[in-house]
Amino acid sequence: MSGVLDIVYPRGEFLSLLVALVVLWAASRRVAALVALPRSRIGSLYVDSVIAFVVVGRIAYLGAESPETLLDPLVAVRVQGGLDPLWGAAATLAVFAWAARGAGEAAYWPLATAWAAGLALAVAAYDLSCPLRDACFGARAEPPLGFYMSGLQETRLATPALEGGLLLALLGMLVLGWRRWRTGVAAHALVGGLAIIRLGFSPLSAGGWGGWGAHEAVLALAAAAALAGATWRQLRGPGARLPG
């Protein structure tokens, strides 16, 4: 068994991204039906977003950690070496903006909702596949909340798995109440919920409170802006509601 793990763990980052891509492909039909857009359009958005996430996230990571390796193709293409998730997410936003160019409000907000749902699904899939990377550990915690993990003497929270589970619950709640949401609310709520969940679990990660920094400040701003937008659009009065 250890021989299998020795093969899997070094490639865990790539395998986790592959899991996220498969989940997005499988979910694209359901998402397309919910937002009343062609599946081909949603599928293209998701594939382009994953490519942009990997490329930009990898460049940002190397630029921050070891800029000299940016010119070394053998290092740059090693996805398992690390990605910057915030810059990767920003790249997917740019992909969405390009895909939505020229779209009227009737198409813009359904596409925005599909992008936000895809982002939440991808993050949940990546988090829940943490065993592939041997990276499920978070802050120290006593049993039954904490678990013994490979290479560690103390029990720890399975923080990524908990985060992924909450994201799936958030998506489920939005789908159950789909017809009640006004146009644009679900997209804002998904982005805000994703940012809040990530912020809430940051102190429970392996880095603890000391891991907070510029990324967390950006997430806090994104959460505040997204939730304010969701509240305004839901309460502003009569208007179009989401299809589905």
Side-chain angles (χ1 to χ4, degrees):
M1 184 64 178
S2 61
V4 175
L5 296 180
D6 288 342
I7 295 173
V8 171
Y9 287 161
R11 299 163 178 82
E13 194 79 38
F14 173 79
L15 293 174
S16 295
L17 290 170
L18 184 60
V19 168
L21 182 59
V22 170
V23 167
L24 288 174
W25 176 83
S28 61
R29 183 184 298 276
R30 175 59 173 160
V31 173
L34 284 172
V35 300
L37 290 175
R39 186 188 182 186
S40 58
R41 189 171 186 182
I42 303 302
S44 296
L45 174 67
Y46 286 171
V47 171
D48 293 346
S49 293
V50 170
I51 294 173
F53 182 95
V54 173
V55 172
V56 175
R58 182 62 173 157
I59 292 174
Y61 177 85
L62 291 177
E65 298 295 328
S66 52
E68 67 281 359
T69 61
L70 283 171
L71 299 179
D72 186 343
L74 294 179
V75 174
V77 299
R78 289 176 58 192
V79 175
Q80 65 265 31
L83 297 166
D84 187 311
L86 196 59
W87 279 104
T92 71
L93 182 59
V95 170
F96 156 70
W98 177 259
R101 67 193 188 283
E105 185 171 359
Y108 178 88
W109 284 113
L111 193 62
T113 303
W115 166 78
L119 182 62
L121 277 169
V123 172
Y126 180 85
D127 283 344
L128 290 171
S129 62
C130 62
L132 295 174
R133 307 186 300 278
D134 192 26
C136 291
F137 55 88
R140 295 179 183 178
E142 296 297 323
L145 296 177
F147 302 88
Y148 285 105
M149 301 181 186
S150 62
L152 300 175
Q153 298 298 319
E154 69 279 355
T155 54
R156 290 180 176 261
L157 284 172
T159 305
L162 292 171
E163 182 180 84
L166 275 180
L167 277 173
L168 289 181
L170 173 63
L171 281 164
M173 290 173 59
L174 283 169
V175 170
L176 286 174
W178 197 258
R179 293 181 182 275
R180 297 197 301 270
W181 303 112
R182 298 190 185 282
T183 302
V185 172
H188 284 97
L190 278 167
V191 173
L194 175 58
I196 287 174
I197 290 172
R198 177 69 71 173
L199 281 171
F201 276 93
S202 290
L204 301 178
S205 67
W209 288 102
W212 276 48
H215 282 193
E216 285 68 31
V218 172
L219 284 174
L221 289 173
L227 294 182
T231 302
W232 179 77
R233 294 195 68 87
Q234 186 68 15
L235 298 178
R236 68 175 185 168
R241 294 184 181 273
L242 282 167

